[in-house]
Structures are given as structure tokens and as C-alpha cells.
Amino acid sequence: VKPSKTGAHLKAIREGKKVTLHELARRTGIAPPNLSRLEHDKVVPSIETLRRIANALDVPLAELLHS
């Protein structure tokens, strides 16, 4: 089974939009350590979590899933 690359893709999108981890945390209500774990593929996010992140970054949910 290949490891997920969703976290790295999420981080690349966030950084491309020049949004800090703390700013994304503020926009989503997800604690910075939890976002960091997502970006490092330490946890598998729920669809609802991904939806909140997509909305906060103003990208379609499908863009976060396409890694």
C-alpha cells in the first residue's frame, strides 16, 4: 500500500497561497498541531475536515484529494 501524499499536497497548496499554519488553524478552527499532523500524513482526515480546509483555502475539495 502506497503512503498517502494528501498531506504534502495540502501543505503545498497552503504555502502556495501564502497562508501560515496558524492562519489556517484560525480559519478552520482546527488546532495547529492537528493541521501539522495532517500535513505530515500522521493522521487520515475526515471528509468534513478536508471540506473545512478546502473552504478556508478557497479551493475545491477535489483539489485537496488530487495528490
Side-chain angles (χ1 to χ4, degrees), residues 5-67:
K5 300 286 187 206
T6 303
H9 186 63
L10 164 60
K11 184 175 182 178
I13 292 170
R14 177 180 62 76
E15 290 177 341
K17 292 187 167 276
K18 300 191 182 334
V19 175
T20 66
L21 194 67
H22 283 86
E23 175 60 19
L24 184 58
R26 188 191 66 74
R27 292 180 188 182
T28 61
I30 300 168
N34 293 337
L35 287 172
S36 181
R37 283 192 279 280
L38 288 173
E39 289 187 348
H40 290 95
D41 291 313
K42 303 280 188 205
V43 295
V44 177
S46 68
I47 291 296
E48 180 54 34
T49 295
L50 289 174
R51 185 174 290 123
R52 287 166 60 187
I53 293 169
N55 288 340
L57 293 175
D58 195 29
V59 298
L61 177 59
E63 187 172 335
L64 290 185
L65 298 174
H66 187 263
S67 51

